[in-house]
């Protein structure tokens, strides 16, 4: 029996084991199409997802990712209220019709209104009474030289330009221009406030033409939840497009069953993971038929110590091949998301050749300006903090919030440290997308489906790997050594 186990040991291929074989092509890398679906509904122009980790994805990262055509998944190492506040911030960042509008009542003082404008960084507030009837709008222009003790009702503009929710973007632009105003109030037939269209939002929309948006024009957003955290899911559901059920070991049937119960109660789609084997797919879909995406890879992340501590591992490339095969063998069409250990565009290209629809990255985005961590100089180099969600520090936060979680003293499965500062998310995505396009070009693929079909692997030995890397040269810093 044990001899058989050894004979059946699987080759756990990692990024260092395989290369892409150059193939025949008539595709110019500039014309490679990187758009992809990560669920049934969500389509990205850039196949990149920021990990749900507390040093990677807060509201600013999620906003930046969606603007660049990817998506961010808010971390859950915080209270439910804090995660909801992050989600609201993303959804409010820009939209066509903003739904979650901050309003004021006519009886409050101009001083209070100014305070609210300052706190929420808003230049105009609809004035409502009786819980939603719009009677005016108060803008910065109205309050600039007004006495702080006067009332909103005395200073507000009552000549309102309003429209109905079905107004098109072009019609809204025309109305805003005609009346030379900054804000258009959206009301229903009974003059109840339904939303707000602002010039600022329309301008931003033009600035990010490849951004990922929901049906209403707001930036698209994902949020992590635990498989047993129904309260969190219900609180977040109005503000997110997709949940990522966030587990180190997703092939846990109690967790899938619980996640499936949550799935029935929410509107957002569900990505489930992490998985690492072909046969796990049948088990997951037998319980959660509607699962919209599968996140794969166990123990490969830059901050993971799971493989060392437990000797359990399904490296990301291996997991991608396994799960993507499992999905296809069942005749299903569920996007597979490769997660963990992606250090450069080549690693990502291997994931696409292995059947992935998108790649999730922690370390790469933790180094960006928009991640929550602090920027600091260490030995003359600019760095940002980065830690595993199973690290001692991250677990301590969780334990402080939820005394029923496992004590922080339990063995850590992640480490804490610093990653090089990489600039803006837009720079990292541009560089990664450029590298990916080049890789697709070599492999002879015009798009991600082309990589699934046409890209071929070659195996390389450890000696070969060394030989094919830059050699016999003292490399000039910043000439390409940042992608190892
Ligand atoms: P990269 O390499 O992109 O990996 O930084 C990010 C992914 O690593 C996973 N993750 C962990 N895995 N212990 C682990 O074994 C941890 O503490 C930990 N924290 C995050 C996660 O899948 C993430 O997307």
């Amino acid at each position: 029996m044990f001899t058989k186990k050894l004979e059946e040991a699987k080759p756990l291929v990692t990024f260092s084991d395989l290369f892409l074989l150059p193939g025949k092509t008539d595709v110019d890398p500039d014309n490679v199409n990187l758009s992809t679906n990560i669920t049934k509904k969500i389509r990205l122009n850039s196949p990149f997802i920021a990990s749900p980790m507390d040093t990677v994805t807060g509201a600013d990262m999620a906003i930046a990712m969606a603007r660049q055509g990817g998506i961010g998944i808010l971390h859950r190492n915080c209270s439910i209220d804090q995660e909801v506040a992050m989600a609201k911030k993303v959804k409010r960042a820009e939209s066509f019709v903003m739904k979650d509008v901050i309003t004021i009542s006519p009886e409050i003082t101009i001083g209070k209104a100014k305070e609210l404008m300052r706190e929420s960084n808003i230049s105009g507030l609809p004035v409502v009474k009786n819980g939603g009837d719009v009677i005016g709008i108060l803008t910065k222009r109205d309050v600039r030289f007004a006495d702080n003790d006067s009332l909103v009702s005395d200073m507000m503009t009552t000549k309102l330009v309003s429209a109905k929710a079905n107004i098109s973007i072009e019609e809204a632009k025309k109305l805003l221009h005609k009346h030379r105003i900054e804000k258009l109030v959206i009301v229903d037939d009974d003059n109840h406030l339904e939303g707000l269209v602002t010039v600022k939002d329309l301008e931003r929309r033009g600035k990010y033409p490849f951004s990922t948006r929901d049906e209403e024009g707001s930036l698209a957003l994902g949020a992590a939840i635990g498989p047993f955290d129904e309260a969190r899911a219900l609180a977040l559901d109005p503000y997110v497009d997709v949940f990522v059920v966030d587990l180190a070991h997703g092939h846990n049937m109690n967790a899938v069953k619980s996640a499936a119960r949550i799935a029935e109660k929410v509107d957002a789609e569900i990505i489930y993971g992490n998985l690492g084997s072909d046969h796990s797919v049948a088990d997951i879909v037998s319980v959660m038929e509607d699962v919209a995406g599968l996140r794969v890879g166990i123990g490969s992340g830059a901050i993971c110590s799971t493989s060392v501590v437990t000797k359990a591992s399904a490296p990301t490339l291996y997991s991608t091949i396994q799960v993507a095969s499992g999905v296809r063998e069942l005749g299903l069409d569920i996007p597979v998301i490769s997660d963990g250990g992606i250090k450069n565009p080549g690693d990502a290209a291997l994931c696409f050749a292995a059947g992935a629809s998108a790649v999730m990255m922690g370390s790469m985005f933790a180094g960006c300006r928009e991640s929550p961590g602090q920027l600091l100089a260490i030995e003359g180099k600019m760095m940002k903090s980065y830690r595993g969600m199973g690290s001692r520090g991250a677990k301590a936060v969780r334990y402080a919030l939820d005394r029923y979680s496992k004590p922080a003293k339990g063995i850590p499965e992640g480490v804490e440290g610093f990653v090089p500062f990489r600039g803006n998310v837009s720079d990292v995505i541009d560089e990664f997308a450029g590298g990916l396009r080049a890789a697709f070009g070599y492999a002879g693929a015009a798009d991600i489906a082309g990589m699934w079909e046409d890209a071929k692997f070659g195996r390389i030995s450890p000696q070969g790997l060394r030989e094919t890397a830059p050699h016999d040269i003292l490399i000039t810093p910043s000439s390409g050594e940042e992608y190892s």
Side-chain angles (χ1 to χ4, degrees), residues 49-53 56 246-248 274 295-307 312 316 338-343 360-366 386-392 394-395 398 412-415 419:
I49 306 178
S51 291
M53 301 171 72
V56 180
D246 185 34
L247 259 104
N274 279 26
R295 181 181 172 204
V296 310
I298 295 167
S300 292
I303 34 49
C304 297
S305 52
T306 300
S307 314
T316 300
S338 302
D339 168 34
I342 294 162
K343 306 173 291 303
M360 180 179 277
M361 295 185 280
S363 161
M364 206 49 68
F365 293 126
Y386 183 42
R387 67 181 179 192
M389 296 314 296
S391 66
R392 221 181 277 285
K395 282 167 74 166
R398 202 144 57 241
E413 288 187 31
V415 297
V419 290

Side-chain angles (χ1 to χ4, degrees), residues 135-156:
I135 56 165
I137 187 160
L138 188 79
T139 67
K140 275 214 170 125
R141 243 186 277 165
D142 299 321
V143 302
R144 195 165 293 145
F145 301 113
D147 180 356
N148 277 352
D149 294 330
S150 53
L151 294 181
V152 167
S153 53
D154 297 330
M155 297 294 152
M156 67 188 185

